[in-house]
Amino acid sequence: MSDSDSASPAPVEIDRPIPNILVTGTPGTGKTTTSEMIANATGLEHVNVGEIVKAKQLHEGYLEEFDTHILDEDKLLDELEDVLKEGGKVVDFHTCEIFPERWFDLVLVLRTDTAPLYDRMEKRGYNQRKMQENIECEIMQVVLEAARESYAPEIVVELPSNTTDDIESNVERVQQWLEAYKAQHA
Ligand code: DAT
């Protein structure tokens, strides 16, 4: 299948002078670290969706077996709609398919090899079940496939996130992309 597969969504043209970027990927791939660095380098504002969900209780309880909160999607979308309408945000979340396509101008999907991903999750104290699920999710490229099904292929970019050098070069790529975007939308 090519990137221009006819089943993929067409690009949604929204004329925002400053773009919104979604940084997504399996937990532990480096979304928060990368988003913070993008924000520091560009002046865009980091929106950590996981933190908002917890702080504003946008969930319907906690699932102990999976060590995760059950997201209240409607409440979350209502909350974020206002935040994102001005543009200029770097949104960091492990799920990408729940958001309206029109919200984002660039979708970065971070990818990490099994060994470093395992180490990072172990350091975080994830239980075995959660680690195994996330490793499988990463190997099966679940988030990448979801991003490709939910957004126009030309705005979805897969980026390696195994080392700190990867983070630096990813941030540089975003800086270059942002300059081009701003020039086009000036
Ligand atoms: P996420 O937000 O995707 O769950 P994170 O940014 O919180 O991930 O990173 C988890 C841990 O892994 C954190 O200690 C920083 C480290 N890390 C993330 N990306 C990395 C990378 N590309 N190289 C080295 N360490 C990384």
Side-chain angles (χ1 to χ4, degrees):
M1 219 185 331
S2 79
D3 269 359
S4 57
D5 172 26
S6 59
S8 301
V12 177
E13 293 291 332
I14 305 271
D15 212 10
R16 265 183 290 265
I18 310 179
N20 288 320
I21 301 173
L22 175 62
V23 180
T24 191
T26 305
T29 50
K31 297 179 295 297
T32 300
T33 312
T34 304
S35 300
E36 272 171 11
M37 287 182 62
I38 292 172
N40 287 339
T42 61
L44 299 181
E45 188 186 332
H46 178 199
V47 176
N48 184 329
V49 175
E51 292 295 319
I52 294 176
V53 168
K54 273 188 236 155
K56 304 216 165 182
Q57 306 244 315
L58 307 178
H59 54 77
E60 298 164 334
Y62 176 69
L63 255 188
E64 190 153 3
E65 190 186 358
F66 294 98
D67 183 20
T68 191
H69 286 94
I70 309 160
L71 191 62
D72 186 330
E73 287 185 17
D74 289 342
K75 278 194 192 159
L76 175 63
L77 296 185
D78 283 350
E79 179 74 30
L80 291 180
E81 179 86 56
D82 272 357
V83 176
L84 293 185
K85 75 175 173 229
E86 301 290 319
K89 304 295 187 290
V90 185
V91 175
D92 145 21
F93 202 42
H94 53 74
T95 302
C96 63
E97 65 273 18
I98 60 171
F99 303 124
E101 197 190 345
R102 65 186 154 79
W103 278 5
F104 298 107
D105 306 286
L106 179 68
V107 177
L108 304 177
V109 184
L110 302 185
R111 304 299 312 279
T112 302
D113 295 338
T114 302
L117 187 59
Y118 190 93
D119 287 348
R120 290 178 205 166
M121 288 193 288
E122 201 171 38
K123 276 194 196 131
R124 271 186 175 172
Y126 281 6
N127 64 40
Q128 276 300 326
R129 178 172 190 159
K130 194 164 177 173
M131 288 205 280
Q132 194 178 338
E133 267 187 8
N134 284 334
I135 293 284
E136 277 172 21
C137 170
E138 184 60 6
I139 290 170
M140 301 302 288
Q141 48 187 54
V142 171
V143 181
L144 180 63
E145 296 295 330
R148 286 184 173 153
E149 280 167 22
S150 308
Y151 300 91
E154 55 270 42
I155 73 160
V156 177
V157 181
E158 180 183 11
L159 293 174
S161 180
N162 293 307
T163 63
T164 48
D165 281 354
D166 286 339
I167 301 183
E168 277 174 31
S169 76
N170 293 340
V171 172
E172 272 170 32
R173 276 184 73 171
V174 173
Q175 280 180 295
Q176 285 166 12
W177 175 87
L178 182 62
E179 290 314 313
Y181 183 99
K182 282 183 180 163
Q184 265 177 11
H185 293 78

